[in-house]
């Protein structure tokens, strides 16, 4: 089975090193490449989280490469990325100033989407300062991936990361595609409802952390597994869900096993592969 991991991170720092270790892995691109090959993962979508400059609202890229020139997006063959919208200092008044930088990045082949870190930065996704980015996403036919659910940082404010806020943005911008990252966990029911809109999709990344194993997971957390399965079925449309890990948060092999049991086998092809290709359409040229 071919797999696309619709949500990974790679940043060369101590914080990510510790998380990778806890998941039984290694925080390096060579490790990623080996694991991807071993497990049949043909592509990973990296989420940009390192600002290219200190300018308010400057775009964030998918590693520590802070250079915009000449070819900063020369990422490995097995990755594409979403440019991170950095709302630090961003306002609806100054958004137009940084927008050309985002557009420049979006024009590069491996940039397949935008990523918004609501919850980490205190603004709802429907805030007006994001509107120009939604228009840009629609123009370039790429999705806006929205962090939803719990935040990894103690300073995060989770009310901003509620999946219902994605519904507001999706209603106002019907031509923009939105991805509810992490299935809005723990607001899975609300995320299922929000994804009823044609332009809203869900990734199931980061719903577990650490060196997970299927056997112990289903023994200890069968209620959680049933809950996720139930609400996926409630939505009743398996075109809506994408596999992702939030690597380095969780070990890839265990997570694949667990998701294979949660998602009914007849939907595996869509869940693990096809849906991500549809949502991140620009990726097709590399696969
Ligand atoms: Zn993430």
């Amino acid at each position: 089975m071919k797999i696309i991991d619709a949500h990974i991170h790679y940043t060369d720092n101590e914080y990510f090193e510790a998380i990778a270790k806890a998941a039984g892995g290694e925080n390096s691109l060579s490790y990623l490449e080996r694991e991807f090959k071993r497990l049949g993962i043909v592509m990973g979508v990296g989420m940009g989280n390192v600002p290219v400059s200190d300018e308010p609202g400057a775009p964030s890229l998918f590693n520590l490469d802070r250079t915009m020139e000449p070819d900063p997006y020369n990422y490995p063959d097995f990755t594409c990325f979403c440019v991170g919208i950095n709302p630090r200092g961003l306002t609806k008044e100054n958004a137009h100033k940084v927008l050309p930088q985002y557009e420049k990045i979006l024009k590069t082949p491996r940039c397949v989407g935008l990523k918004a870190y609501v919850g980490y930065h205190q603004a709802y996704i429907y805030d007006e300062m994001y509107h120009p980015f939604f228009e840009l996403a629609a123009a370039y036919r790429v999705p806006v991936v929205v962090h939803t659910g719990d935040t990894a940082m103690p300073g995060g404010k989770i009310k901003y990361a509620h999946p219902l806020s994605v519904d507001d943005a999706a209603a106002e911008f019907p031509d923009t595609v939105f991805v509810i990252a992490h299935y809005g966990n723990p607001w899975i029911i609300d995320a299922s409802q929000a994804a009823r809109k044609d332009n809203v999709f869900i990734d199931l990344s980061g719903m577990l952390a650490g060196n997970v194993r299927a056997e112990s997971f289903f023994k200890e957390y069968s209620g959680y597994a049933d809950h996720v399965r139930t609400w996926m079925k409630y939505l009743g449309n398996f075109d809506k869900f994408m596999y992702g890990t939030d690597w380095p948060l969780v070990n890839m092999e265990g997570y694949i096993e667990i998701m294979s049991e949660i998602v009914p086998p007849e939907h595996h092809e869509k869940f693990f592969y096809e849906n991500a290709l549809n949502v991140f359409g620009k990726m097709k040229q590399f696969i």
Side-chain angles (χ1 to χ4, degrees):
M1 181 176 60
K2 273 198 285 190
I3 297 175
I4 292 170
D5 188 331
H7 192 135
I8 63 168
H9 293 268
Y10 172 70
T11 307
D12 189 10
N13 67 21
E14 277 174 23
Y15 174 71
F16 276 89
E17 249 161 56
I19 299 174
K21 223 177 178 183
E26 194 188 287
N27 187 44
S28 73
L29 284 176
S30 60
Y31 176 83
L32 258 189
E33 185 169 22
R34 284 200 308 277
E35 281 295 274
F36 271 29
K37 270 202 184 119
R38 188 172 75 82
L39 300 168
I41 304 163
V42 293
M43 188 61 76
V45 183
M47 299 296 155
N49 57 2
V50 183
V52 297
S53 73
D54 297 328
E55 185 186 355
S60 297
L61 292 176
F62 163 54
N63 61 11
L64 280 181
D65 187 351
R66 281 169 167 260
T67 54
M68 292 282 289
E69 306 285 348
D71 185 14
Y73 327 119
N74 190 16
Y75 293 139
D77 288 352
F78 54 91
T79 60
C80 288
F81 73 100
C82 291
V83 55
I85 305 171
N86 167 16
R88 202 161 280 145
L90 189 70
T91 61
K92 76 177 167 99
E93 286 75 28
N94 70 16
H96 67 276
K97 268 197 197 161
V98 284
L99 223 56
Q101 293 181 40
Y102 285 83
E103 189 162 13
K104 188 177 169 191
I105 295 170
L106 274 171
K107 280 180 178 158
T108 65
R110 286 192 184 266
C111 181
V112 297
L114 292 138
K115 169 79 189 279
Y117 292 93
V118 292
Y120 293 98
H121 300 278
Q122 277 88 53
Y124 289 106
I125 190 63
Y126 53 75
D127 192 289
E128 273 181 52
M129 72 179 185
Y130 285 119
H131 290 185
F133 296 93
F134 299 161
E135 281 159 14
L136 201 60
Y140 282 86
R141 303 170 72 96
V142 297
V144 179
V145 180
V146 185
H147 173 93
T148 63
D150 196 12
T151 55
M153 310 284 181
K157 291 190 179 171
I158 54 176
K159 70 173 180 183
Y160 295 109
H162 196 288
L164 276 189
S165 60
V166 179
D167 182 68
D168 275 57
E172 281 180 51
F173 290 85
D175 297 329
T176 303
V177 170
F178 294 88
V179 176
I180 296 176
H182 320 305
Y183 205 165
N185 194 25
W187 301 295
I188 290 168
I189 301 174
D190 309 73
S192 304
Q193 183 60 37
R196 291 191 156 240
K197 281 204 170 59
D198 287 347
N199 56 330
V200 180
F201 294 80
I202 289 168
D203 87 35
L204 274 76
S205 67
M207 300 183 75
L208 298 168
N211 200 354
V212 296
R213 296 280 169 239
E215 208 187 312
S216 52
F217 171 75
F218 286 105
K219 222 182 254 169
E220 286 170 48
Y221 297 102
S222 61
Y224 183 24
D226 283 342
H227 183 69
V228 175
R229 194 182 288 123
T230 298
W231 287 98
M232 288 180 92
K233 283 191 179 165
Y234 167 86
L235 178 57
N237 182 353
F238 278 86
D239 295 345
K240 292 287 191 172
F241 299 105
M242 293 183 285
Y243 172 77
T245 52
D246 213 12
W247 165 258
L249 191 71
V250 72
N251 90 80
M252 294 179 232
E253 188 166 20
Y255 208 62
I256 290 169
E257 278 171 25
I258 289 166
M259 287 300 162
S260 298
E261 281 190 48
I262 289 177
V263 176
E266 63 269 31
H267 301 301
H268 281 186
E269 190 73 27
K270 282 185 172 182
F271 174 70
F272 282 105
Y273 184 72
E274 285 172 13
N275 295 342
L277 264 193
N278 288 334
V279 172
F280 298 102
K282 270 180 85 178
M283 221 158 49
K284 285 179 185 151
Q285 61 188 307
F286 299 110
I287 291 181

